[in-house]
Amino acid sequence: MEERLAYIQFLGAAGTVTGSKHLINTSSDGDDRKGIQVLVDCGLFQGQKEWRARNWQQLPIPANEIDAVILTHAHLDHCGWIPRLVKQGFKGPIYATAATIDLCGIILPDSGHLQEEDAAFYNKIKKSKHEPALPLYTFEEAEACMQYFQVARVGETKQLNSELSFRFVRAAHILGSCMAEVSLSTNGQSRRLLFTGDVGRVHDHTVAPGQVVHSGPQEGESADLLVMESTYGNRDHPKNDPRPELAAVIRRTVEREGSLVVPAFAVERTQKFVFMLKELMESGQIPRTPVFCDSPMAIKAVEIYLKYESEYSDEARTLINKYGSPLEWPGFTFASTADQSKKINEVHYPTVIISSSGMVTGGRILHHLAQRLPDPKNTILFIGFQAPGTRGATIKGGAKEVKIFGDFVSIRAQIATFEQFSDHADPSELLTWLRTFRGKPAYTYLVHGETAASSQLRETMSKELGWNVQVAEWMEKVAVK
Ligand SMILES: [Zn+2]
């Protein structure tokens, strides 16, 4: 049998952008060596039904045989399956940065709450008398799994056993996000693996403005084997600064006495947009218009951001030093209770309303859109990706009406879209970053991309860098030699 140090098995985010889960196993088939089994990320499959069905499947190895989880960041497609893993018997440490742990503390229970709501909804509409629909995990189960989290500081080496250690380096994707450098050493041989998680925008404040966290992933990396995301593998972000056009859209909306409704994820995208509004107001590019940030989770996320000053971008630091906490900025209202949220419906002067969910699949944004979509004075502003099949994609795509709370709501508001706010590096940014590597990895596996995106990036990397690149397949096992 060929000598190998370990294998990696891609249990998610292969052929799709969700469900990130990569198993490192150092035990070899055919001998009794008891190695270590570590999951890098433990994300939820999201989107279409065939993907979501995978959330209900068993892992190829029992959860209680997994020794540890290394978590790159707090997005649900990277952490959202942790409560399920714990429910199935996992009891090991989950290593993450302190900021990631804080964010998971709000994101995972919220996910449990949504799972319970979904199950209750299916039970209500179900006509047959089959088994009742169950949540993947509950709010309580998500809260309970937080006890397994352990802080790993950026740059600190964690030795998990005699064969495997790892350390986090900055990914600059969202607050707390990191890449995981994993070192393996077995039988006198050692190899270095790099798991990128999601890679943030590479340094450039003009094309990627409004960063709340410092920009640019750790440079000068080296790896024998690289597992890299490829979300934007086949499309570049627009390179123009979106701020002048954004300011113009807001000014026009205010001039016709309309309001701006912005569906945005509560974590990162909302903060980024709030910071940008403040900057545009203070520099006189837009009028001082009341801003309502309608999401309890966004408030908690701001509180977490304020704890981690060392992660701020220069722009965010300047703004906070000058104006203090966004929660106390005059003219900015953060609604936490349902009553506060409903009161926003009574506001008829020009205003900016930012609410989630980001793809209009649920949440408080539904109330705001039901009320403001039919009025042509208003503008609906999209600053994030809208997955096919979501209400967000329908509205963005120019439909004349959309179903909300069982009724068709006519769409007469203006629709504006900005693609520059992405937190993922695009192909040219990835190449810029990869060129800082201190050598070619022997193997690169692309994950976390639709097939077309991953395949295109593989071609680009082979051509531009001459690297040996493969697109990972779901459940595929690859050897670390
Ligand atoms: Zn992410």
Side-chain angles (χ1 to χ4, degrees):
M1 196 172 61
E2 194 172 9
E3 188 61 36
R4 66 169 190 204
L5 285 78
Y7 72 77
I8 296 171
Q9 190 173 15
F10 303 106
L11 306 182
T16 183
V17 292
T18 64
S20 269
K21 253 179 240 94
H22 312 302
L23 179 71
I24 308 171
N25 187 338
T26 68
S27 59
S28 34
D29 294 334
D31 70 25
D32 294 335
R33 178 156 63 93
K34 169 81 180 85
I36 188 166
Q37 308 200 71
V38 176
L39 263 188
V40 178
D41 287 339
C42 186
L44 202 62
F45 283 103
Q46 296 165 294
Q48 290 174 351
K49 212 171 169 185
E50 62 164 301
W51 296 114
R52 281 184 283 123
R54 293 183 181 181
N55 289 324
W56 293 91
Q57 294 176 2
Q58 299 285 333
L59 295 181
I61 55 162
N64 62 5
E65 288 181 15
I66 294 171
D67 298 284
V69 173
I70 299 171
L71 176 62
T72 61
H73 67 289
H75 275 153
L76 265 190
D77 57 331
H78 292 259
C79 70
W81 210 75
I82 287 173
R84 186 77 186 170
L85 185 75
V86 170
K87 195 171 172 167
Q88 294 188 345
F90 172 81
K91 287 195 167 56
I94 300 160
Y95 295 104
T97 62
T100 295
I101 297 174
D102 278 347
L103 289 174
C104 283
I106 56 172
I107 286 171
L108 292 178
D110 181 69
S111 170
H113 173 68
L114 292 176
Q115 303 284 347
E116 289 183 77
E117 272 189 354
D118 280 355
F121 176 75
Y122 284 114
N123 288 330
K124 205 169 134 194
I125 60 164
K126 200 155 63 174
K127 295 182 181 80
S128 66
K129 291 225 157 103
H130 288 123
E131 303 270 295
L134 296 170
L136 199 56
Y137 51 83
T138 64
F139 177 91
E140 269 85 23
E141 286 165 337
E143 278 200 323
C145 79
M146 294 310 297
Q147 63 183 301
Y148 296 103
F149 281 76
Q150 288 190 19
V151 176
R153 288 190 301 276
V154 177
E156 173 193 13
T157 299
K158 289 274 184 193
Q159 191 78 42
L160 303 198
N161 77 344
S162 59
E163 296 175 318
L164 189 148
S165 67
F166 85 95
R167 65 170 201 157
F168 281 136
V169 294
R170 300 261 186 227
H173 168 60
I174 62 164
L175 185 79
S177 67
C178 281
M179 305 189 272
E181 290 178 358
V182 176
S183 298
L184 289 176
S185 83
T186 310
N187 302 335
Q189 295 199 66
S190 58
R191 294 287 182 274
R192 202 168 144 105
L193 321 177
L194 179 66
F195 293 83
T196 66
D198 289 346
V199 184
R201 305 296 296 272
V202 173
H203 304 276
D204 192 335
H205 284 259
T206 322
V207 298
Q211 289 286 358
V212 181
V213 292
H214 57 84
S215 66
Q218 172 84 24
E219 296 184 346
E221 280 295 309
S222 71
D224 299 298
L225 188 150
L226 170 67
V227 176
M228 187 173 84
E229 71 130 323
S230 53
T231 314
Y232 282 85
N234 59 350
R235 53 203 193 279
D236 274 313
H237 302 310
K239 297 295 182 212
N240 61 318
D241 183 343
R243 284 171 288 195
E245 202 187 327
L246 175 66
V249 167
I250 297 174
R251 282 196 308 267
R252 283 198 299 270
T253 307
V254 171
E255 276 161 21
R256 58 175 186 260
E257 301 192 319
S259 291
L260 203 79
V261 183
V262 189
F265 292 108
V267 176
E268 191 77 23
R269 197 58 53 91
T270 291
Q271 287 76 19
K272 190 188 263 193
F273 193 71
V274 162
F275 277 76
M276 198 168 297
L277 286 175
K278 180 75 173 166
E279 184 198 322
L280 292 174
M281 277 181 205
E282 294 300 334
S283 60
Q285 295 177 69
I286 59 171
R288 290 187 187 275
T289 311
V291 175
F292 291 93
C293 202
D294 188 17
S295 158
M297 204 150 92
I299 301 175
K300 291 183 196 157
V302 169
E303 284 164 352
I304 293 170
Y305 274 84
L306 293 172
K307 275 174 70 179
Y308 296 98
E309 200 186 333
S310 63
E311 294 224 13
Y312 295 167
S313 67
D314 293 344
E315 288 166 321
R317 182 174 293 108
T318 307
L319 272 173
I320 291 177
N321 285 345
K322 209 165 165 187
Y323 304 110
S325 162
L327 298 177
E328 278 148 33
W329 289 346
F332 286 71
T333 307
F334 285 78
S336 96
T337 66
D339 273 353
Q340 288 170 326
S341 173
K342 280 184 200 131
K343 285 225 169 74
I344 302 172
N345 287 344
E346 293 157 21
V347 174
H348 292 295
Y349 43 81
T351 178
V352 179
I353 301 164
I354 309 158
S355 187
S356 54
S357 74
M359 296 196 275
V360 202
T361 49
R364 293 180 177 180
I365 189 71
L366 294 177
H367 295 275
H368 301 303
L369 287 174
Q371 194 198 8
R372 297 186 196 255
L373 269 172
D375 187 344
K377 291 205 296 269
N378 297 328
T379 300
I380 315 304
L381 178 68
F382 288 100
I383 54 171
F385 176 70
Q386 304 299 313
T390 58
R391 280 192 202 88
T394 303
I395 301 168
K396 186 178 159 184
K400 295 272 176 276
E401 56 183 15
V402 65
K403 204 169 187 181
I404 298 179
F405 303 131
D407 292 323
F408 280 101
V409 177
S410 61
I411 303 174
R412 285 192 287 267
Q414 316 293 310
I415 309 295
T417 299
F418 289 85
E419 308 285 358
Q420 286 98 327
F421 296 98
S422 174
D423 293 314
H424 292 267
D426 68 13
S428 57
E429 291 172 301
L430 284 174
L431 286 179
T432 301
W433 174 61
L434 292 170
R435 285 196 171 101
T436 72
F437 273 48
R438 287 178 281 135
K440 283 183 196 178
Y443 305 92
T444 294
Y445 294 93
L446 296 181
V447 295
H448 204 283
E450 301 296 336
T451 310
S454 306
S455 305
Q456 180 65 51
L457 185 60
R458 180 177 65 109
E459 266 179 47
T460 307
M461 286 173 66
S462 307
K463 194 165 137 237
E464 299 285 328
L465 306 171
W467 289 15
N468 173 19
V469 185
Q470 315 289 330
V471 176
E473 286 184 23
W474 186 51
M475 300 307 273
E476 182 187 9
K477 276 184 184 181
V478 300
V480 182
K481 291 181 223 161

